[in-house]
Amino acid sequence: MSIPAAPASIPAPGTSLPWTQVWLYALTRPSEATYNILINDPAAKPTRGLLWVGLASLFISLAVLVFRVIFGPNMDQMVDLLQRDAGAAARPISILIVLLCGIPAGAVVAVLGTVIYTALVNFTAGALGGTGNFNQLIYLFSAITAPLSLVSTLLGLVPILGCLGIPLAMYSVYLDIVAVKTVHRLDWVRSAGSVLILVVLGLLVVAVCAVAIFVPLFTTMMRNSF
């Protein structure tokens, strides 16, 4: 199967690209030609991509923390709760606990989530006849996930722009499908199936968890109201 020719403005395969260009091309020029150039970059290593995911998660957590401290009461409420448990003099310690434990933990979860998601998609694509490999797929997924998560979070901090979250999530799924199609050399149907199967399963898990949590809560509230 021949690889489509890349647009003239895209560097030739084998060219080492800075992270800014990788992110820009991954988000704004999704095609087999572009993605083939990205995975043939000499610096296209899984560790590089996962580093992006981790750093993006750290930045997001810090940005949300600063935003909540400045504009919202949620952080003050959380710190007050910690103060009641640990004493009035514990405010600096409480904030330090949030910074040193919560934020790095979020980055670890983001990296592990990317690894697990990529492994499942890679397995599914292989079962459907794909011939790609995990390293290339996780690099592309990371190049998509890191910048898109930053954009989604920053837009979500602005109430009027929060409605863009759903279109961005749908666009993310489309980018993942293009990545699978590029790496595994599958047609559109099987590429979409490799991603959408997991998306649907994930939504089902979320729905089941939501029902398991909120139905007993709703039942208790209704019982107490009579």
Side-chain angles (χ1 to χ4, degrees), residues 4 9-10 72-73 96 100 114 181 217:
S9 58
I10 301 291
L96 188 62
L100 295 182
T114 302
K181 189 173 188 296
L217 180 62

Side-chain angles (χ1 to χ4, degrees), residues 55-96:
L55 292 177
S57 177
L58 289 175
F59 179 84
I60 288 169
S61 299
L62 288 172
V64 171
L65 178 64
V66 171
F67 184 86
R68 296 304 182 192
V69 168
I70 296 174
F71 298 104
N74 294 339
M75 179 56 64
D76 287 337
Q77 292 174 356
M78 182 172 64
V79 172
D80 289 342
L81 180 61
L82 290 172
Q83 285 180 341
R84 286 197 295 270
D85 292 338
R91 182 179 179 86
I93 298 177
S94 301
I95 296 176
L96 188 62

Side-chain angles (χ1 to χ4, degrees), residues 16-152:
S16 185
L17 300 174
W19 64 271
T20 50
Q21 283 186 293
V22 175
W23 288 14
L24 181 64
Y25 292 155
L27 293 190
T28 64
R29 302 185 181 187
S31 68
E32 289 183 75
T34 302
Y35 283 6
N36 267 300
I37 289 171
L38 297 185
I39 61 178
N40 284 294
D41 186 328
K45 307 295 183 183
T47 50
R48 187 190 190 198
L50 292 176
L51 179 62
W52 292 338
V53 174
L55 292 177
S57 177
L58 289 175
F59 179 84
I60 288 169
S61 299
L62 288 172
V64 171
L65 178 64
V66 171
F67 184 86
R68 296 304 182 192
V69 168
I70 296 174
F71 298 104
N74 294 339
M75 179 56 64
D76 287 337
Q77 292 174 356
M78 182 172 64
V79 172
D80 289 342
L81 180 61
L82 290 172
Q83 285 180 341
R84 286 197 295 270
D85 292 338
R91 182 179 179 86
I93 298 177
S94 301
I95 296 176
L96 188 62
I97 290 174
V98 173
L99 291 175
L100 295 182
C101 298
I103 293 177
V108 171
V109 170
V111 170
L112 289 177
T114 302
V115 171
I116 294 171
Y117 172 70
T118 305
L120 292 174
V121 172
N122 191 67
F123 174 81
T124 305
L128 294 175
T131 58
N133 66 76
F134 174 83
N135 289 346
Q136 291 181 335
L137 191 61
I138 198 169
Y139 182 76
L140 282 182
F141 278 179
S142 298
I144 294 167
T145 299
L148 205 56
S149 62
L150 288 171
V151 173
S152 300

